[in-house]
Amino acid sequence: MKHILIVDDSNMYCIIAKNALEGNYRISLAHSGKEALDFLEKEIPDLILMDIEMPGMNGKEAIRQIKLHKEWSKIPVIFLSAISEQETEVECLELGADDFIAKPFKPLIMTSRVSKILELYELRKDLEHQLMRRTQQMEIATLKSLTDALTGLHNRDYLEKRLQELLDERCAGALFMIDLDNFKEINDTYGHAQGDVALKRIGQALVSAAQNGEPCARIGGDEYAVFGVGYTQKDAENFAKDFLYTLERLNKTDPETY
């Protein structure tokens, strides 16, 4: 059941609104803007019906605070007010209110307005959820299209795109090209499964040596590439040494894999 918070310093209007709504909604009451904010600290309703003129913190001040709060900002707010000037209604809408109902209100009209606003917010939430899911699916698809399925490294398409970006930015650095010698012999002697292990191990060693997030890619069957952004000759030498050391350590850890 949807939960509605009614905020009004008039007990009469609170009772009228509550009686009109409580058959279809769970109702909570507050009698000032400050009470409403205190309530929101404990529980977040699905909609707020709020008077404008109240002692202490009025409705306008309260909605300003609500819209500044990350968890409250999307709660729909409908103003109830005896002030019926057009300027007041426009101001309330500009503050973020979703509707404005003039007092004295007819219960049937108020319940209809409340129902419509809740329906719109449910539709908006559903659309936002669909958009988020679609965005996530597109991000996953994009990531897969730029990732080598076997090693988890970037693929050739990603590397070419990234290198073009770096060239456009006039970034200097060092490009490493790695090609495994006699890789076919591993497949022929130990089988393709062990060949895959060898390819993965090369990828592990590259990622381990590339500690600054350099783009590492498998660009072909047994070919790899790494671009060290801003690398000097000394940086390049250190990277090569780290890579060979890491690869040797991995081989010693599991020497019988291939």
Side-chain angles (χ1 to χ4, degrees):
M1 182 176 286
K2 296 293 186 182
H3 182 196
I4 296 177
L5 174 63
I6 300 172
V7 187
D8 200 315
D9 62 323
S10 167
N11 286 326
M12 180 185 72
Y13 278 115
C14 280
I15 292 171
I16 294 172
K18 180 179 179 182
N19 289 341
L21 296 167
E22 65 180 352
N24 298 309
Y25 306 100
R26 181 163 66 92
I27 304 299
S28 295
L29 302 176
H31 299 289
S32 70
K34 178 64 168 59
E35 281 188 30
L37 297 184
D38 290 342
F39 181 90
L40 294 180
E41 293 287 352
K42 302 172 185 176
E43 188 172 359
I44 298 178
D46 296 291
L47 183 141
I48 299 173
L49 275 172
M50 184 157 56
D51 187 25
I52 295 179
E53 296 301 323
M54 294 181 289
M57 180 183 290
N58 63 34
K60 294 177 185 179
E61 293 168 341
I63 196 173
R64 287 190 183 98
Q65 295 299 315
I66 290 170
K67 294 304 177 183
L68 289 173
H69 196 286
K70 182 179 180 180
E71 295 184 6
W72 307 343
S73 61
K74 292 186 178 181
I75 304 172
V77 177
I78 298 176
F79 272 121
L80 303 171
S81 180
I83 305 173
S84 58
E85 286 86 351
Q86 183 176 332
E87 292 78 8
T88 301
E89 183 174 350
V90 170
E91 182 184 4
C92 291
L93 294 174
E94 289 177 346
L95 287 171
D98 296 86
D99 205 348
F100 184 97
I101 302 175
K103 293 179 179 178
F105 55 82
K106 294 182 179 180
L108 285 177
I109 292 177
M110 184 192 67
T111 55
S112 177
R113 296 274 191 91
V114 167
S115 176
K116 291 298 182 185
I117 293 296
L118 286 172
E119 286 178 11
L120 286 172
Y121 265 75
E122 282 302 310
L123 177 60
R124 180 184 297 179
K125 284 167 61 177
D126 184 57
L127 289 173
E128 288 176 350
H129 178 71
Q130 290 183 37
L131 179 60
M132 183 181 298
R133 185 173 59 185
R134 184 65 60 84
T135 301
Q136 290 172 343
Q137 290 172 344
M138 291 178 63
E139 289 175 349
I140 292 171
T142 299
L143 181 61
K144 286 183 177 180
S145 72
L146 298 175
T147 302
D148 176 59
L150 177 65
T151 63
L153 300 179
H154 299 300
N155 61 17
R156 186 189 191 108
D157 288 342
Y158 172 87
L159 185 66
E160 290 179 350
K161 177 182 177 183
R162 182 62 181 140
L163 287 178
Q164 187 59 57
E165 291 173 350
L166 293 171
L167 288 173
D168 292 343
E169 296 169 6
R170 298 185 179 278
C171 289
L175 179 64
F176 299 86
M177 302 293 292
I178 299 114
D179 184 7
L180 306 188
D181 291 336
N182 304 315
F183 178 69
K184 185 176 182 298
E185 293 182 8
I186 296 177
N187 284 332
D188 293 343
T189 304
Y190 301 101
H192 288 277
Q194 293 304 313
D196 288 348
V197 171
L199 295 172
K200 291 178 183 178
R201 187 167 293 179
I202 296 295
Q204 286 179 276
L206 287 173
V207 171
S208 178
Q211 297 179 0
N212 296 321
E214 296 88 345
C216 303
R218 181 184 175 210
I219 58 176
D222 61 354
E223 298 176 344
Y224 299 78
V226 179
F227 185 76
V229 180
Y231 269 30
T232 62
Q233 182 175 343
K234 185 65 175 176
D235 293 329
E237 291 173 358
N238 289 336
F239 174 84
K241 290 177 182 177
D242 288 343
F243 165 66
L244 293 174
Y245 170 79
T246 303
L247 185 59
E248 182 180 5
R249 180 168 53 81
L250 288 171
N251 289 336
K252 286 181 178 179
T253 301
D254 190 8
E256 297 183 0
T257 301
Y258 63 88

